[in-house]
Amino acid sequence: MEYSQLKLSSDRKVIGKGGYPQCKGSPLSLGLTLKWFDQPNSMTNLTNEEFPSFLPNLIFELEDKAFLTDAISPSNLSAKGFLISSKLKSIIETHNLMEHKFFKARVIFKEENYDYFWLHFKDNKDKYLNAIDYKNSQFYVANLAFMHVRDIDLSCYEDYKQKRLSLTMKYIHGAKISLDETLINENLDLFYLPDVSRGYFLSKNLYDEFKKNDITGFDIKEQEII
């Protein structure tokens, strides 16, 4: 399957003059300060290692100069996923995604409330990182700025885990990644490879749906990683 690389847009022509991220630090119009994030059901407690055991309180307020897009860049939320409109959800949920759940969210913009959803992914590293053909892939060690430090050879997932643990303040990223047939045969339309690759991989099928429906808020480019 043919894939492009997907990420949230930082283009001010797309997301507005408020820049990236599009959301304020907290929903100030509701009188909520940063202490709001101390609550047990705070969105800041979301992790991609598992689905939450709580119903996250997902309220966002756009910057005054932001544009309302189908995919919105949130603030104070570090988990991987997307804040998406109902329109975008109706498209995505008919396609084949890596393990995920949708949670209702509220977006405030110019004193109006909009129904959005948080698309939350589960890493399942044992599945996705085991699905890499390491001997036919190329990897490198990257620093905290994601810059290339040196190449590194990996033979298997266990080898990756051991060498990753030996690194301090560095990462292992894939320059060229070959996937095994178990993952290829799933025909995923949207997924990412935890830790070894930045961004998301988007199938041509889903990309065509985005174009046909004028979906806004994403930056989609050609990729040569997988």
Side-chain angles (χ1 to χ4, degrees), residues 17-35:
K17 294 181 180 180
Y20 182 97
Q22 290 157 269
C23 296
K24 298 179 179 180
S26 63
L28 296 177
S29 66
L30 301 180
L32 298 174
T33 66
L34 293 180
K35 290 184 177 180

Side-chain angles (χ1 to χ4, degrees), residues 47-62:
T47 170
N48 297 108
E49 293 180 2
E50 58 187 12
F51 291 125
S53 58
F54 59 93
L55 187 63
N57 191 5
L58 297 159
I59 306 175
F60 304 87
E61 185 169 6
L62 291 193

Side-chain angles (χ1 to χ4, degrees), residues 10 14 16 20 31 39 49 51 65 76 82 102 104 111 113 150 162-163 165 173 182 184 189 202 213:
S10 58
V14 175
Y20 182 97
Q39 300 296 320
E49 293 180 2
F51 291 125
K65 294 183 179 180
N76 290 313
F82 293 116
F102 292 100
K104 288 184 178 181
E111 300 183 352
N113 290 294
R150 59 181 172 84
Q162 290 179 11
K163 289 178 178 175
L165 287 173
H173 281 184
T182 59
I184 292 173
D189 290 300
L202 178 75
N213 290 278

Side-chain angles (χ1 to χ4, degrees), residues 132-139 152 154 176-179:
I132 294 174
D133 180 355
Y134 286 86
K135 293 181 180 179
N136 290 308
S137 300
Q138 300 173 18
F139 297 90
I152 186 171
L154 301 174
K176 295 282 186 179
I177 297 177
S178 177
L179 303 177

Side-chain angles (χ1 to χ4, degrees), residues 127-128 130-132 179-188:
K127 173 184 177 179
Y128 292 101
N130 252 322
I132 294 174
L179 303 177
D180 70 18
E181 289 188 3
T182 59
L183 189 58
I184 292 173
N185 291 339
E186 286 194 33
N187 293 317
L188 292 173

Side-chain angles (χ1 to χ4, degrees), residues 58-60 62 68-72 82-90 102-109 112-119:
L58 297 159
I59 306 175
F60 304 87
L62 291 193
L68 190 67
T69 50
D70 290 302
I72 292 175
F82 293 116
L83 180 59
I84 61 175
S85 66
S86 299
K87 172 186 174 182
L88 180 51
K89 178 180 180 287
S90 68
F102 292 100
F103 296 95
K104 288 184 178 181
R106 173 183 171 191
V107 171
I108 303 168
F109 183 51
E112 295 288 336
N113 290 294
Y114 297 86
D115 292 330
Y116 270 66
F117 294 86
W118 173 249
L119 169 57

Side-chain angles (χ1 to χ4, degrees), residues 32-222:
L32 298 174
T33 66
L34 293 180
K35 290 184 177 180
W36 175 59
F37 296 111
D38 294 334
Q39 300 296 320
N41 63 344
S42 168
M43 65 182 79
T44 58
N45 291 326
L46 288 170
T47 170
N48 297 108
E49 293 180 2
E50 58 187 12
F51 291 125
S53 58
F54 59 93
L55 187 63
N57 191 5
L58 297 159
I59 306 175
F60 304 87
E61 185 169 6
L62 291 193
E63 293 284 357
D64 296 338
K65 294 183 179 180
F67 294 155
L68 190 67
T69 50
D70 290 302
I72 292 175
S73 48
S75 59
N76 290 313
L77 206 168
S78 59
K80 290 183 75 68
F82 293 116
L83 180 59
I84 61 175
S85 66
S86 299
K87 172 186 174 182
L88 180 51
K89 178 180 180 287
S90 68
I91 297 170
I92 286 179
E93 64 186 358
T94 63
H95 288 74
N96 191 17
L97 277 60
M98 67 186 296
E99 197 171 355
H100 66 281
K101 284 187 177 182
F102 292 100
F103 296 95
K104 288 184 178 181
R106 173 183 171 191
V107 171
I108 303 168
F109 183 51
K110 297 187 184 300
E111 300 183 352
E112 295 288 336
N113 290 294
Y114 297 86
D115 292 330
Y116 270 66
F117 294 86
W118 173 249
L119 169 57
H120 188 79
F121 295 108
K122 186 176 179 180
D123 274 347
N124 201 347
K125 294 180 184 180
D126 286 344
K127 173 184 177 179
Y128 292 101
L129 297 186
N130 252 322
I132 294 174
D133 180 355
Y134 286 86
K135 293 181 180 179
N136 290 308
S137 300
Q138 300 173 18
F139 297 90
Y140 64 94
V141 175
N143 60 22
L144 294 179
F146 305 108
M147 300 297 292
H148 181 283
V149 175
R150 59 181 172 84
D151 293 335
I152 186 171
D153 293 326
L154 301 174
S155 61
C156 62
Y157 179 40
E158 289 300 320
D159 188 28
Y160 161 79
K161 289 194 290 185
Q162 290 179 11
K163 289 178 178 175
R164 175 68 182 85
L165 287 173
S166 70
L167 297 172
T168 303
M169 306 292 281
K170 292 182 178 67
Y171 305 98
I172 295 177
H173 281 184
K176 295 282 186 179
I177 297 177
S178 177
L179 303 177
D180 70 18
E181 289 188 3
T182 59
L183 189 58
I184 292 173
N185 291 339
E186 286 194 33
N187 293 317
L188 292 173
D189 290 300
L190 181 60
F191 72 99
Y192 63 90
L193 295 171
D195 298 344
V196 299
S197 179
R198 300 174 67 194
Y200 301 77
F201 297 104
L202 178 75
S203 74
K204 186 178 185 303
N205 291 336
L206 189 49
Y207 173 53
D208 289 343
E209 287 296 312
F210 284 4
K211 288 179 64 178
K212 184 171 70 175
N213 290 278
D214 296 320
I215 294 301
T216 57
F218 283 130
D219 180 19
I220 304 173
K221 295 182 178 179
E222 292 183 2

